[in-house]
Amino acid sequence: MDRFIVTIGRQFGSGGRSIGEKLAEKLGVKFYDKELISIAAKESGMAPEVFEGVDEKATNSLLYSLSMGMYSFGSGFPTMGDLPVNDKLYLLQHKIIKEIAERENCVIVGRCADYVLREDSNCVNIFFYANMEYRKEQSVKKHGIDEDRAEHIINKTDKSRANYYSFYSGQKWGMAENYDLCIDSSKISEENIVDLIAEYIKMR
Amino acid sequence: MDRFIVTIGRQFGSGGRSIGEKLAEKLGVKFYDKELISIAAKESGMAPEVFEGVDEKATNSLLYSLSMGMYSFGSGFPTMGDLPVNDKLYLLQHKIIKEIAERENCVIVGRCADYVLREDSNCVNIFFYANMEYRKEQSVKKHGIDEDRAEHIINKTDKSRANYYSFYSGQKWGMAENYDLCIDSSKISEENIVDLIAEYIKMR
């Protein structure tokens, strides 16, 4: 099989992580989701806990700081030490995603990986979504979230993901045209979705 | 195979019509695109040429008229005779699409068919799109459009389709979550897309 990097964007509760894991297993490649935080922590020497709280959350500090010329003094370049932890994590994950994509076939979930790798023709960018009822069920089942709070948590998480994606990529989260393939994961089983994507990768 | 109605939304030049025709042929079912105009013309007794100019174009006259209570006098219901030709065509196609979907498995292109049939669980709603370069090439090749004018015509047609969709459905055209499956048609061949969708239909 040719080179490929599958990137996955997903609404909360749509099963994106679970489908990604199954897909990686079927294709015999590595799977990256929270793993990207551990690598970033290791490379930066920071505690993983520091990054966990800000993962896939945007500040507007980087753009603001750059536009205000806050980094144009001194060396003329921002140093990682100056940046808020969100932006530091984004830049570290950006670098790590690029290195992984150069090195191996893999499946990467979230972190604007589709945008980070936008020049790489080996990428297959996929977006998963589903109706609220399905996502509520999945949130209770897979994440152990209280049924009464599920909708609130779904909306809050998706808003945060949308902001993160739009802040770092300048694109609208969930617009079909940012991806190669968008799939409503409530309509066919996760196993069938995995088979369909594996078929798609072969067709390229 | 179970009951199914495939509805297709598409950016201009993405090959939606052509993929739809091939899919209908593979599945052995009827294909409806411009055919919906001929049927509407026949049923209403109007000349097809009258409808062709307004097909998939929105006015805001229907909503305006309803909100202004212009139809609340007399019988209390609007009669088809009172309506502008765009709205008349939309309502006729709405009725025809519902009748077709009740009667037979089929492939229907455009005309908010996904929205018209939103309560029908037999529907498979698909959206096709592609990068501008691909769509320009396709417009020249398939529609015989002059290369210099292709981008202008693509943008104008898509703007009109987006307005039409959003006016009659209240939803944003091209948002992944309005469809079961969204496919960038520039990434794999039309034949492969047809095979993938046929596979998807079997999986449901």
Side-chain angles (χ1 to χ4, degrees):
Chain A
M1 198 179 282
D2 285 343
R3 290 275 289 121
F4 66 84
I5 301 107
V6 177
T7 76
I8 293 179
R10 73 294 183 220
Q11 288 184 339
F12 187 79
S14 68
R17 179 187 163 89
S18 161
I19 296 166
E21 275 180 315
K22 288 182 180 130
L23 181 65
E25 200 184 328
K26 184 180 174 91
L27 299 171
V29 299
K30 272 204 198 158
F31 170 77
Y32 295 96
D33 183 1
K34 298 280 174 204
E35 292 75 2
L36 291 167
I37 300 182
S38 323
I39 304 173
K42 211 170 165 185
E43 289 205 2
S44 66
M46 290 182 74
E49 295 74 22
V50 177
F51 284 149
E52 268 159 22
V54 298
D55 189 32
E56 291 196 277
K57 291 194 175 88
T59 52
N60 56 7
S61 53
L62 178 61
L63 253 193
Y64 174 77
S65 306
L66 289 171
S67 70
M68 296 300 282
M70 283 168 65
Y71 293 121
S72 62
F73 306 108
S75 69
F77 290 99
T79 63
M80 285 288 274
D82 300 330
L83 292 172
V85 71
N86 309 46
D87 297 330
K88 198 177 286 185
L89 180 59
Y90 175 77
L91 292 177
L92 273 166
Q93 287 184 335
H94 185 286
K95 178 181 150 282
I96 295 163
I97 287 168
K98 286 224 164 204
E99 285 166 0
I100 292 170
E102 287 223 346
R103 188 176 66 217
E104 58 185 317
N105 291 354
C106 59
V107 176
I108 304 175
V109 173
R111 284 109 197 146
C112 300
D114 59 301
Y115 178 74
V116 172
L117 302 172
R118 64 195 175 282
E119 308 290 346
D120 190 333
S121 61
N122 295 317
C123 272
V124 178
N125 302 316
I126 305 179
F127 186 73
F128 294 111
Y129 49 97
N131 60 59
M132 181 55 77
E133 198 184 353
Y134 179 85
R135 291 192 286 145
K136 276 167 77 174
E137 267 174 40
Q138 294 292 308
S139 305
V140 173
K141 205 171 114 193
K142 286 189 186 161
H143 301 279
I145 289 171
D146 194 68
E147 203 177 336
D148 296 339
R149 298 194 61 232
E151 188 160 345
H152 172 70
I153 290 173
I154 288 168
N155 287 331
K156 205 176 146 189
T157 312
D158 279 358
K159 198 175 168 192
S160 173
R161 285 181 184 172
N163 285 343
Y164 175 83
Y165 186 80
S166 123
F167 176 63
Y168 289 113
S169 77
Q171 299 178 155
K172 191 170 160 55
W173 192 68
M175 278 301 282
E177 59 189 5
N178 299 332
Y179 308 91
D180 297 316
L181 210 52
C182 306
I183 302 174
D184 182 333
S185 50
S186 70
K187 300 296 174 76
I188 57 172
S189 72
E190 292 193 350
E191 288 69 22
N192 277 332
I193 292 175
V194 167
D195 289 346
L196 203 71
I197 297 171
E199 197 57 38
Y200 176 88
I201 292 173
K202 270 193 243 157
M203 287 172 170
R204 287 165 70 240
Chain B
M1 199 178 283
D2 285 344
R3 290 276 289 121
F4 66 85
I5 301 109
V6 177
T7 76
I8 293 180
R10 73 294 182 216
Q11 288 185 339
F12 188 79
S14 67
R17 181 187 162 87
S18 163
I19 296 166
E21 274 180 316
K22 288 180 180 133
L23 181 66
E25 200 184 328
K26 184 179 175 91
L27 300 171
V29 299
K30 271 203 199 162
F31 171 78
Y32 295 96
D33 183 2
K34 298 279 174 206
E35 292 75 3
L36 292 167
I37 300 181
S38 324
I39 304 173
K42 212 169 165 188
E43 289 206 2
S44 65
M46 290 183 74
E49 295 74 22
V50 177
F51 284 148
E52 269 158 22
V54 297
D55 189 31
E56 290 197 277
K57 290 193 178 92
T59 52
N60 57 6
S61 52
L62 177 61
L63 253 195
Y64 175 77
S65 307
L66 289 172
S67 70
M68 296 298 282
M70 284 169 64
Y71 293 123
S72 63
F73 306 110
S75 69
F77 290 98
T79 63
M80 286 290 273
D82 300 329
L83 292 173
V85 73
N86 308 46
D87 298 329
K88 197 177 286 185
L89 180 59
Y90 175 78
L91 292 177
L92 273 167
Q93 286 183 336
H94 186 287
K95 177 179 150 283
I96 294 162
I97 287 168
K98 287 224 163 204
E99 285 166 0
I100 292 170
E102 288 224 345
R103 189 176 66 216
E104 57 185 316
N105 292 353
C106 60
V107 176
I108 303 174
V109 173
R111 283 109 199 146
C112 302
D114 58 302
Y115 178 75
V116 171
L117 301 172
R118 65 194 174 283
E119 308 289 345
D120 191 332
S121 60
N122 295 317
C123 272
V124 177
N125 302 315
I126 304 178
F127 187 72
F128 293 111
Y129 50 97
N131 60 58
M132 181 53 79
E133 197 185 353
Y134 179 85
R135 291 191 287 145
K136 276 167 78 174
E137 268 175 41
Q138 294 292 307
S139 305
V140 173
K141 206 171 114 191
K142 286 189 185 162
H143 302 279
I145 288 171
D146 194 68
E147 203 177 336
D148 296 338
R149 298 196 61 235
E151 188 161 346
H152 172 71
I153 290 172
I154 288 168
N155 285 333
K156 205 176 144 188
T157 311
D158 279 358
K159 197 174 167 189
S160 171
R161 284 180 185 175
N163 285 343
Y164 176 82
Y165 186 80
S166 121
F167 176 63
Y168 288 112
S169 77
Q171 300 177 158
K172 190 168 160 59
W173 192 68
M175 276 303 281
E177 60 188 5
N178 300 331
Y179 308 91
D180 297 316
L181 211 52
C182 306
I183 302 174
D184 182 333
S185 51
S186 69
K187 300 296 172 76
I188 57 172
S189 73
E190 292 192 351
E191 288 69 21
N192 277 333
I193 292 175
V194 167
D195 288 346
L196 203 70
I197 297 171
E199 197 56 38
Y200 176 89
I201 293 172
K202 269 193 243 157
M203 287 173 171
R204 287 167 67 242

